[in-house]
Amino acid sequence: MSSSTAGPAHAGILDDFRRDFALTPVVWSIRSSEDPRAAALAEGLRRAATAAGHLPFDSLSPRAGELPRLWLPAVHVCAAVDETEAAPAPTTLPRHAFRVLVPSGGNASSGATPDWDCRLPAAAPATLVATIASKARAHHLAAIAAEIDAPSPPACGLSVVVCTYRRPANLARALASLGAQRFPAADHEVVIVNNDPADRAPAEIVAEARRTSFAARPDRLRLVQCPFPGLSFARNAGISQARGEVVSFLDDDAVAPPDWLEQVWRTFDAHPEAGVIGGAIILDVPEPRPRWLKPGWEKFWSHRVPRFTTPTAVDRWWDFPWGANWSARRRVLVAMGGFRTRYGRRGANAAGGEEIVAACLARALGHAVVVAPAVRVVHAPDPDRFTLRHVWGRMLAARREEYRWQRDGYLPREMRLAGVARASARHLKRAWRRGLAAPERLEHLMGACADASLLVPLLRERWSWRP
């Protein structure tokens, strides 16, 4: 990946991105000629690709939205006696797909031909899958490198990306709020990323919104599918398809006030040094108030009011904005290689942290991270998420995320074995103070357990350092 004009910091960030991307699965289209040997080889490749954690292209549905052109490595493999009998790639396969011909007739020559990016001799299916996946990722990295070196010129000011996973009612509310934005309709777009292509609900909701709140501008509302499970994968799919100068991320269970995009754009305009901007997240408390929404626990459902009164550049990670209300310049996101996919929520788990890592990377690239209190959204999680299990899950995830940020080098290393053990003991001591309210006592007990959960990985690290 080219970084000829970048400094050492940028080169290090790109190396970090390559390591992350090396774990990305690949979408596979596998075809064969009618020759029995070719058909058997193709079937073996399908089984080996599935066993390796890759995804079959045939499982994707065009109704789930367009496929992103970046951050989605895809390959078309055809097993045939020779090139004259090769089956063409499906017309719906992304144009960037890596095309591989595997002759089954004993021709052991290899290399590229005019119609194929690579020609490989037949081998054991597992070996072929590993070789082809590696080549496909390298091929796709070249496309991302081209985007880094020369980002696509923006077609509008703002792109709003809403990543959704099995929340149809929430998505409809979020879309309605975006349809009511006061920001000029001609200067922004909305990209919905469906992270479950088997779910048809997002397509139906988008179609309804095009008939109603986006009727005057249906082309400004697009649906993208991301078949790789995980919020970071979905966010990268949104970055890929975004055509705005700024990309703003809104949770699918959040609602944007009519001035949200106005405030985002105004803040970026006033702070040209900013690469990332975020603001307030106001929790919409259900009625009646859930039993486990204890006073001071709103933070576990992303409630956050900045301590600043005006837009402020921040340099401490705990002041960085949270993902429910998070915007960045697209060129900055592209320059860092997008969100790190080893972080972030998958399905209904409590993981997160990918936006904190992205903010750290933006600062490493020389951009400011700005918190603007006037940039506000309302977070409206489903009532069934207000459970003690959710509180514990978020607390445990937060500790583990901070440890991983430090272990992976995004933050200075401060978590050490002795310090974490002392932190756990302090929580236990505080939990038994007289006169402490029950929720505070419980929070300290859970904090002690969360800190203690880091002792095993820290011990493993210490052992691994021994000669």
Side-chain angles (χ1 to χ4, degrees):
M1 184 179 293
S2 172
S3 59
S4 57
T5 61
H10 195 188
I13 288 171
L14 293 182
D15 285 341
D16 178 72
F17 163 61
R18 291 188 194 96
R19 289 191 294 271
D20 188 76
F21 190 76
L23 303 175
T24 299
V26 177
V27 170
W28 288 72
S29 164
I30 301 175
R31 300 287 186 270
S32 72
S33 65
E34 295 181 357
D35 177 71
R37 290 173 299 175
L41 177 58
E43 182 58 30
L45 288 173
R46 292 188 190 98
R47 289 195 297 267
T50 300
H54 300 299
L55 295 174
F57 173 74
D58 294 341
S59 68
L60 305 183
S61 168
R63 290 188 298 270
E66 62 186 279
L67 286 166
R69 64 185 181 87
L70 296 172
W71 285 283
L72 183 84
V75 62
H76 170 63
V77 182
C78 182
V81 175
D82 55 41
E83 195 164 346
T84 62
E85 295 187 9
T91 56
T92 50
L93 192 72
R95 286 181 295 176
H96 67 256
F98 189 62
R99 287 165 167 77
V100 181
L101 177 66
V102 182
S104 60
N107 187 344
S109 64
S110 63
T113 67
D115 296 325
W116 301 90
D117 297 304
C118 184
R119 182 185 177 107
L120 293 174
T127 302
L128 267 178
V129 163
T131 300
I132 293 171
S134 177
K135 290 180 176 292
R137 292 190 188 101
H139 177 79
H140 198 75
L141 276 172
I144 296 177
E147 184 79 4
I148 291 173
D149 290 340
S152 302
C156 60
L158 281 160
S159 294
V160 182
V161 172
V162 182
C163 302
T164 188
Y165 181 80
R166 299 180 183 176
R167 289 177 177 164
N170 304 79
L171 176 62
R173 288 195 298 270
L175 256 181
S177 74
L178 294 173
Q181 291 295 300
R182 294 201 295 258
F183 195 74
D187 206 25
H188 77 279
E189 64 173 359
V190 177
V191 178
I192 306 300
V193 183
N194 181 6
N195 202 202
D196 181 11
D199 183 6
R200 298 185 181 183
E204 296 169 357
I205 292 166
V206 167
E208 177 62 21
R210 284 175 178 152
R211 290 191 295 267
T212 53
S213 52
F214 285 82
R217 44 179 175 137
D219 60 316
R220 292 287 175 166
L221 174 58
R222 292 183 290 139
L223 179 63
V224 175
Q225 63 172 311
C226 177
F228 301 151
L231 182 54
S232 293
F233 282 114
R235 285 181 162 171
N236 287 342
I239 298 168
S240 167
Q241 303 309 92
R243 299 177 295 201
E245 179 182 346
V246 170
V247 183
S248 295
F249 294 91
L250 181 73
D251 280 5
D252 61 354
D253 58 355
V255 173
D259 69 339
W260 179 53
L261 291 182
E262 283 183 347
Q263 295 290 351
V264 170
W265 186 256
R266 186 177 300 140
T267 307
F268 272 109
D269 190 49
H271 295 270
E273 78 285 3
V276 173
I277 285 175
I281 304 169
I282 309 303
L283 180 64
D284 183 9
V285 178
E287 291 291 344
R289 186 181 178 92
R291 174 190 177 192
W292 288 109
L293 183 53
K294 304 298 184 182
W297 283 15
E298 291 84 358
K299 60 191 175 186
F300 296 116
W301 291 272
S302 298
H303 178 79
R304 192 177 200 190
V305 178
R307 58 190 179 88
F308 314 105
T309 57
T310 58
T312 303
V314 296
D315 56 9
R316 298 180 301 186
W317 70 264
W318 52 84
D319 286 327
F320 289 171
W322 292 354
N325 182 11
W326 200 94
S327 302
R329 299 186 194 274
R330 184 180 183 274
R331 61 179 173 81
V332 174
L333 292 168
V334 170
M336 69 176 67
F339 291 92
R340 296 298 181 260
T341 55
R342 61 185 181 273
Y343 290 94
R345 177 167 298 185
R346 297 198 178 196
N349 68 19
E354 74 285 355
E355 74 275 17
I356 302 297
V357 170
C360 291
L361 293 172
R363 292 195 75 245
L365 289 170
H367 305 281
V369 176
V370 173
V371 173
V375 178
R376 300 163 65 90
V377 302
V378 176
H379 189 219
D382 292 329
D384 59 8
R385 289 180 60 192
F386 289 87
T387 64
L388 182 60
R389 181 178 181 178
H390 174 85
V391 174
W392 165 242
R394 278 306 309 142
M395 186 174 289
L396 184 62
R399 295 290 201 280
R400 291 177 175 175
E401 287 155 12
E402 184 179 352
Y403 163 69
R404 292 177 64 200
W405 299 335
Q406 294 183 22
R407 181 200 64 190
D408 294 346
Y410 300 113
L411 295 178
R413 189 62 189 262
E414 297 176 351
M415 282 187 167
R416 303 292 183 185
L417 187 62
V420 170
R422 285 194 297 268
S424 180
R426 281 196 301 269
H427 274 298
L428 279 175
K429 184 177 179 180
R430 291 169 182 168
W432 300 115
R433 286 186 302 184
R434 290 185 178 181
L436 200 65
E440 293 180 81
R441 192 183 307 279
L442 182 57
E443 186 172 350
H444 279 302
L445 287 171
M446 289 189 293
C449 293
D451 283 329
S453 73
L454 299 178
L455 296 178
V456 170
L458 286 166
L459 280 169
R460 287 174 178 163
E461 281 191 67
R462 172 169 287 189
W463 290 334
S464 69
W465 294 335
R466 290 180 178 176

